């Protein structure tokens, strides 16, 4: 309950918009939100760099800036659909959003700091600190140099045309397009060049796919293909069941995948029949793709589903894939609709 009251999801009705309003973007904060002074904030490059340095926010803003739409999804999105459910944020479908992120590409700054030839990977640490499973740590993650270049990682200070809000990582965060949200470290303070493999808690202990409790697991990284439907009609307050008038109904939604894969197809299932949705042309590389389908709604109960297929040929399953922590459940979204 405590977790669910602190962190919130996207309002599905905002799927109508290309860019999620900042206040409706989901939130996932493990510990307390650090309130940092942007005028005194320093980003430190330490460890195995030949030219280690400290940068102020002002200096970071003086590098070439770029604004890009990126769809971010929490790895725990869909957890509530995986049974037995693990004890963590009980997300259903809403831990996703698309923002216009403004920042500077990180790879050139890392090159400037000159990583030594014995570099193994680079760690990113935030200012938030706390306990998980009895172990205290600052939230942190790592990436290899190759991942950093290939993933177009951005060092971000702006969101939707405004400075980052405290809860979204102010004054500085990473955005790792195409990977689940845990890689996009907020309240970034330290970038360390490591000559040994990273062993941070949020990479080695959590965010791993595990079949059983004693499985050492495989890292959770790229986002799996998924599609959500803007719920048609109007809801019942408590059950959220939808009420729709019979006749023409424009169904629409958004589909996305990870690691730069694009959406090839969205199918809408109505009464065991499959219909191909129309896709938005030329979506941005890291942003979700809008889809739509003109439905002639007939009276009765319907469970509408809308699974997507991406450019790697991966299609969403109809049933949740098993994982101990309920990570990356990309089972097709089902919206229950009553047509009058
Ligand atoms: N420092 C820090 N960074 C963090 C987190 C955190 O708790 N601390 N949560 C991560 C997770 S799990 C997700 S899904 C995203 C959520 O970003 P948002 O709250 O801005 O949507 O931030 C990531 N970055
Ligand atoms: Mo997350």
């Amino acid at each position: 309950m405590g977790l669910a009251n602190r962190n919130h999801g996207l309002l599905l009705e905002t799927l109508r918009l290309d860019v999620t309003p900042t206040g409706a973007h989901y939130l996932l904060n493990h510990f307390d939100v650090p309130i940092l002074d942007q005028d005194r904030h320093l980003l430190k490059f330490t460890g195995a760099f030949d030219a280690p340095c400290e940068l102020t926010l002002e200096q970071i803003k003086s590098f070439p800036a770029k604004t890009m739409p990126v769809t971010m999804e929490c790895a725990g999105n869909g957890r509530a659909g995986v049974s037995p459910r693990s004890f963590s944020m009980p997300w259903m479908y809403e831990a996703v959003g698309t923002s216009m992120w403004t920042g500077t590409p990180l790879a050139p700054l890392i090159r400037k700091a000159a990583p030594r030839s014995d570099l193994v990977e680079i760690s990113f640490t935030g200012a938030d600190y706390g306990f998980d499973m009895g172990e205290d740590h600052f939230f942190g993650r790592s990436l290899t140099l190759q991942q950093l270049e290939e993933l177009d990682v951005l060092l971000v200070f702006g969101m939707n045309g405004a400075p980052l809000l405290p809860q979204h990582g102010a004054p500085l965060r990473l955005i790792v397009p195409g990977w689940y949200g845990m890689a996009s470290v907020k309240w970034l303070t330290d970038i360390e060049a490591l000559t040994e493999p990273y062993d941070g808690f949020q990479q080695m202990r959590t965010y791993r796919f595990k079949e059983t409790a004693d499985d050492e697991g495989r890292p959770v990284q790229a986002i799996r293909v998924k599609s959500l439907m803007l719920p048609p009609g109007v809801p019942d307050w408590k059950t959220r069941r939808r009420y729709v008038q019979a006749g023409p109904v424009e169904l629409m939604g958004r589909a996305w995948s990870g690691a730069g894969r694009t959406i090839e197809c969205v199918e809408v299932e109505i009464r065991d029949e499959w219909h191909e949705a129309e896709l938005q042309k030329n979506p941005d590389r890291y942003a979700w793709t809008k889809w739509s389908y003109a439905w002639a709604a007939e009276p009765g109960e319907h469970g509408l589903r809308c699974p997507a297929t991406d450019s790697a040929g991966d299609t969403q399953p109809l049933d949740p894939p098993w994982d101990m922590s309920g990570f990356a459940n990309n089972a097709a979204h089902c919206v229950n609709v009553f047509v009058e």
Side-chain angles (χ1 to χ4, degrees):
M1 290 281 269
L3 288 187
N5 285 324
R6 286 180 56 76
N7 295 302
H8 68 77
L10 166 102
L11 300 171
L12 290 179
E13 53 273 38
T14 63
L15 288 171
R16 198 178 289 286
L17 305 169
D18 293 335
V19 173
T20 309
T22 305
H25 192 281
Y26 82 95
L27 262 190
L28 195 293
N29 297 325
H30 284 76
F31 306 135
D32 291 351
V33 172
I35 306 298
L36 304 174
D37 179 352
Q38 64 160 34
D39 295 331
R40 296 171 59 181
H41 194 71
L42 284 180
L43 178 62
K44 302 186 199 78
F45 290 70
T46 60
F49 286 116
D50 280 330
C53 61
E54 292 185 349
L55 296 176
T56 63
L57 193 61
E58 196 93 327
Q59 286 169 314
I60 290 164
K61 285 183 174 168
S62 71
F63 297 118
K66 174 165 154 182
T67 295
M68 62 179 185
V70 177
T71 297
M72 186 161 67
E73 182 182 10
C74 180
N77 198 17
R79 174 177 291 122
V82 180
S83 155
R85 174 151 67 75
S86 87
F87 184 87
S88 187
M89 221 2 238
W91 295 121
M92 297 201 308
Y93 296 104
E94 311 83 348
V96 63
T98 299
S99 293
M100 298 296 290
W101 300 103
T102 300
T104 189
L106 182 60
L109 296 193
I110 299 281
R111 267 182 251 131
K112 217 179 240 175
R116 279 178 6 208
S117 59
D118 56 345
L119 176 97
V120 174
E121 54 185 330
I122 300 195
S123 71
F124 302 93
T125 309
D128 52 331
Y129 180 85
F131 288 84
D132 190 351
M133 298 190 244
E135 276 191 36
D136 61 323
H137 58 279
F138 287 93
F139 187 95
R141 297 278 309 177
S142 77
L143 292 169
T144 63
L145 270 190
Q146 195 187 347
Q147 287 166 346
L148 214 142
E149 300 262 357
E150 284 176 3
L151 297 169
D152 287 330
V153 178
L154 211 57
L155 187 55
V156 162
F157 43 81
M159 180 179 183
N160 300 331
L164 272 183
L165 292 174
Q167 61 270 38
H168 289 294
L172 210 54
R173 76 176 299 173
L174 288 188
I175 286 293
V176 181
W179 276 28
Y180 283 112
M182 74 279 144
S184 295
V185 177
K186 304 196 263 195
W187 313 293
L188 186 66
T189 57
D190 290 88
I191 296 184
E192 188 181 353
L194 305 174
T195 55
E196 299 285 334
Y198 181 68
D199 66 354
F201 188 92
Q202 298 293 341
Q203 195 147 308
M204 301 315 290
R205 299 285 303 281
T206 58
Y207 297 108
R208 297 181 81 81
F209 291 114
K210 295 182 182 178
E211 299 268 330
T212 58
D214 49 16
D215 183 352
E216 70 173 57
R218 291 144 302 283
V220 174
Q221 298 179 334
I223 296 175
R224 288 181 180 158
V225 62
K226 190 181 269 188
S227 158
L228 293 182
M229 184 183 295
L230 173 88
V234 298
D236 173 59
W237 157 234
K238 283 179 184 150
T239 61
R240 308 314 289 177
R241 190 167 78 139
R242 312 297 301 183
Y243 287 79
V244 169
Q245 295 285 326
V249 176
E250 177 79 350
L251 296 177
M252 70 140 303
R254 308 273 168 177
W256 65 94
S257 188
R261 296 185 291 258
T262 52
I263 295 300
E264 294 287 292
C265 166
V266 172
E267 289 183 286
V268 180
E269 184 196 21
I270 302 162
R271 295 243 158 107
D272 299 325
E273 282 180 27
W274 294 88
H275 309 269
E276 200 167 324
E278 200 170 311
L279 300 185
Q280 166 197 355
K281 307 270 183 297
N282 307 319
D284 286 289
R285 179 151 185 233
Y286 296 117
W288 53 24
T289 298
K290 182 178 174 179
W291 60 261
S292 58
Y293 176 73
W295 178 32
E298 290 173 19
E301 290 279 352
H302 302 265
L304 305 176
R305 290 192 285 194
C306 55
T309 300
D310 70 14
S311 52
D314 288 336
T315 299
Q316 288 182 252
L318 298 182
D319 298 314
W322 168 244
D323 175 68
M324 283 289 293
S325 307
F327 284 136
N329 172 12
N330 67 335
H333 188 195
C334 185
V335 181
N336 292 316
V337 174
F338 176 73
V339 181
E340 301 176 277

